[in-house]
Amino acid sequence: MLAGGQSERMGADKAAMVLDGDTFLGRSVARLRPLTHSVHVGIRASQTGERLRQQFPVLVDSPEVQGPAASLLAAWRHDPGAAWLVLACDMPEVSPALLEGLVNARSPARGGTAWRNPGDSLPEPLCAIWEPATLARLAALVAAGGHSPVSPRALLAASDPLLLDPVRPATLNSLNTPAELRHYLEYMHGNKP
């Protein structure tokens, strides 16, 4: 579970936003639990004392890379032999059925299993299964490049992933700004902010 972002564009912690009586983080963890052996929340080192994140087992982001790649690298270091079902906490329309679709379609011989982003036909790396070999490639890129940015989308796309087409592409939208949140609440969820 990716919950280490700084939420700068939103102006508030996205993981702590509440929908239907639960935080985005709590809702997302609940959706992953039935599908995995355990759920870990990827966080920045500065978030280790936060009450919301302390409710769950956490993995502190690897310091030598930024963004979601830091959580992916921390997951691989925690268990390098595991495939990791990854979900960003700011994707509230990702349903249990959508996640089950990933799990059921998984092909361990491929570099990962992901939903195809309708905008560019590339994999959506923050709602995907990452295979151990692809995560090992991420570790090698980070080791070779120091603090250079690493694009999870580009890495997954170059790793021969199995790409699935979502029935409703909007379910993969992440909420990054107050305007996106208002739109979601008004039109996707039927609530007025």
Side-chain angles (χ1 to χ4, degrees), residues 4-193:
Q6 295 184 18
S7 302
E8 289 176 348
R9 290 180 287 167
M10 184 64 77
D13 184 3
K14 292 187 284 185
M17 293 186 167
V18 177
L19 181 63
D20 295 334
D22 200 0
T23 63
F24 278 16
L25 179 57
R27 288 168 51 91
S28 299
V29 167
R31 290 180 176 169
L32 286 176
R33 276 196 175 124
L35 301 171
T36 63
H37 295 292
S38 62
V39 176
H40 291 81
V41 177
I43 64 170
R44 294 185 325 273
S46 63
Q47 296 172 316
T48 57
E50 292 180 8
R51 182 176 298 194
L52 172 62
R53 288 161 174 86
Q54 286 179 336
Q55 298 175 54
F56 309 103
V58 298
L59 294 174
V60 177
D61 287 355
S62 295
E64 63 269 45
V65 67
Q66 299 295 311
S71 286
L72 292 169
L73 185 56
W76 178 77
R77 287 180 174 157
H78 179 75
D79 188 347
W84 287 84
L85 174 57
V86 173
L87 178 62
C89 73
D90 64 356
M91 301 173 93
E93 278 297 299
V94 170
S95 66
L98 193 81
L99 294 169
E100 288 171 15
L102 278 177
V103 171
N104 292 335
R106 178 183 173 222
S107 176
R110 307 286 290 268
T113 305
W115 296 104
R116 186 185 318 272
N117 184 304
D120 56 18
S121 294
L122 293 171
E124 173 47 65
L126 306 185
C127 182
I129 298 173
W130 286 74
E131 296 297 336
T134 303
L135 291 170
R137 187 173 307 128
L138 168 64
L141 285 170
V142 170
H147 288 279
S148 298
V150 176
S151 166
R153 184 181 313 271
L155 174 62
L156 191 55
S159 299
D160 187 35
L162 173 62
L163 295 181
L164 309 172
D165 292 307
V167 174
R168 288 182 45 232
T171 59
L172 297 174
N173 290 343
S174 60
L175 302 178
N176 294 305
T177 66
E180 290 171 354
L181 177 62
R182 277 192 304 276
H183 179 267
Y184 173 77
L185 291 174
E186 290 176 12
Y187 300 105
M188 299 293 287
H189 200 66
N191 295 336
K192 297 284 183 191

